[in-house]
Amino acid sequence: MAGGAVTELSSGKMFGGYNKRYKHYSNTLGCSMNFHIYFPNSDSNKSFPVLYWLSGLTCTDENFIFKSGAQRAASEHGVALIAPDTSPRGLNVEGEADSWDFGVGAGFYLNATQEKWKNWRMYDYVVKELPKLLSDSFPQLDTSKASIFGHSMGGHGALTIYLKNLDKYKSVSAFAPVANPTNCPWGQKAFTNYLGDNKSEWEDYDATHLVTKFPGVSASILIDQGEDDKFLHDQLLPGKFEEACKNANVPLLLRFQPGYDHSYYFIATFIDDHIRHHAQALRLN
């Protein structure tokens, strides 16, 4: 498949719009990649703002589209949903599938610097290649009006990408994000392998560190966190991010939800709030 060529794999109608899955060859990652777009219902020729969803560990481009129920609110607010995959696939790098929290399905939305993992460049894929592909291939999408959100590892990705690209995204939100990866086992494992031992490079992909470096955040950051999430205290560390936001005077709405865990049941429960949060920012900017 030539770079830039997009092939439609499937299409299904939902809430008046369409879930469509596509395949293309990524020059950034060196392999074919799948992604989903939910196009809202529209009787006009107007273009839709885009809202990128970044999924968590072990996920693909399908989990969010199948499980979140986000399409109802997206259709209501006229926002297109973009769901990319979480890592390169099919490269057959030795060890890429040895553990669930590293390698395939665990790209951590960074640009790896270690030679073995040189194709793991999900940051560039999400920030640069995919938006250009969407702009070139889908005239009904207005990629100049974009926001970003995600879950767990994808929440980490959404926060870090937003903070490093305030000119590209109108708003950000997250469900149970890995908020301080330099201080948790998931992050330390991934960063050591992808980035090496230079801890200053790690901080470049840690929202708790980044939020103090980019004081231009004006839109409120929305985070929902389940109180019964088994990963809350050792992996996610939202309190560290909350403290950093306070010190940097960055507006943050951190909501702890009693009884909820880390699953898509939790995401589906509060997804409409997040869609509204982004729809408002996309309309106002």
Side-chain angles (χ1 to χ4, degrees):
M1 184 184 301
V6 177
T7 302
E8 184 177 311
L9 300 177
S10 64
S11 178
K13 192 171 186 179
M14 189 176 187
F15 297 117
Y18 285 89
N19 293 313
K20 291 182 178 286
R21 194 184 196 197
Y22 298 94
K23 181 179 183 179
H24 77 109
Y25 182 82
S26 167
N27 291 314
T28 299
L29 306 176
C31 62
S32 291
M33 292 291 285
N34 297 329
F35 62 91
H36 265 91
I37 303 177
Y38 176 71
F39 295 97
N41 178 38
S42 177
D43 297 324
S44 69
N45 294 321
K46 70 174 185 177
S47 57
F48 301 111
V50 298
L51 177 53
Y52 295 94
W53 170 267
L54 304 184
S55 286
L57 289 164
T58 75
C59 290
T60 69
D61 60 299
E62 295 184 296
N63 300 68
F64 175 74
I65 294 296
F66 290 174
K67 296 179 179 180
S68 71
Q71 293 91 336
R72 184 195 299 270
S75 184
E76 177 186 343
H77 292 285
V79 175
L81 302 172
I82 314 295
D85 204 345
T86 52
S87 67
R89 296 181 191 270
L91 293 171
N92 299 317
V93 175
E94 181 186 3
E96 69 176 16
D98 286 356
S99 56
W100 66 273
D101 56 356
F102 178 77
V104 173
F108 272 84
Y109 305 101
L110 49 73
N111 289 335
T113 58
Q114 302 304 292
E115 179 64 23
K116 181 177 181 180
W117 304 103
K118 63 184 179 181
N119 291 86
W120 265 251
R121 300 182 64 82
M122 288 301 297
Y123 178 90
D124 276 356
Y125 178 74
V126 170
V127 175
K128 298 176 182 178
E129 186 177 17
L130 185 57
K132 185 177 188 309
L133 181 75
L134 297 175
S135 180
D136 291 346
S137 305
F138 304 99
Q140 64 272 54
L141 301 180
D142 183 359
T143 56
S144 70
K145 292 183 178 179
S147 290
I148 192 165
F149 66 155
H151 171 231
S152 195
M153 176 186 72
H156 139 77
L159 290 171
T160 56
I161 286 172
Y162 171 77
L163 290 170
K164 293 164 76 169
N165 298 276
L166 294 173
D167 59 326
K168 289 185 170 67
Y169 306 96
K170 308 299 184 186
S171 55
V172 67
S173 72
F175 292 86
V178 183
N180 188 199
T182 59
N183 286 319
C184 77
W186 282 342
Q188 290 165 351
K189 178 178 181 177
F191 289 2
T192 299
N193 283 282
Y194 290 137
L195 302 173
D197 296 325
N198 186 342
K199 299 293 180 66
S200 65
E201 289 192 34
W202 293 17
E203 292 180 0
D204 201 35
Y205 295 103
D206 186 318
T208 296
H209 288 279
L210 289 172
V211 78
T212 64
K213 298 180 180 180
F214 297 95
V217 179
S218 57
S220 181
I221 297 172
L222 171 62
I223 293 178
D224 274 313
Q225 172 64 60
E227 288 186 355
D228 285 9
D229 189 327
K230 65 182 179 180
F231 303 117
L232 171 57
H233 299 294
D234 61 341
Q235 300 281 14
L236 305 178
L237 310 178
K240 297 286 189 181
F241 183 68
E242 182 180 31
E243 182 180 351
C245 286
K246 286 180 180 176
N247 291 337
N249 292 316
V250 170
L252 170 68
L253 177 57
L254 172 59
R255 309 191 304 187
F256 286 93
Q257 305 293 358
Y260 287 92
D261 59 14
H262 200 69
S263 72
Y264 265 87
Y265 299 131
F266 159 59
I267 294 170
T269 302
F270 300 102
I271 193 69
D272 287 9
D273 289 352
H274 287 246
I275 300 291
R276 280 193 295 269
H277 169 78
H278 294 295
Q280 182 180 23
L282 290 164
R283 280 195 300 268
L284 294 176
N285 287 278

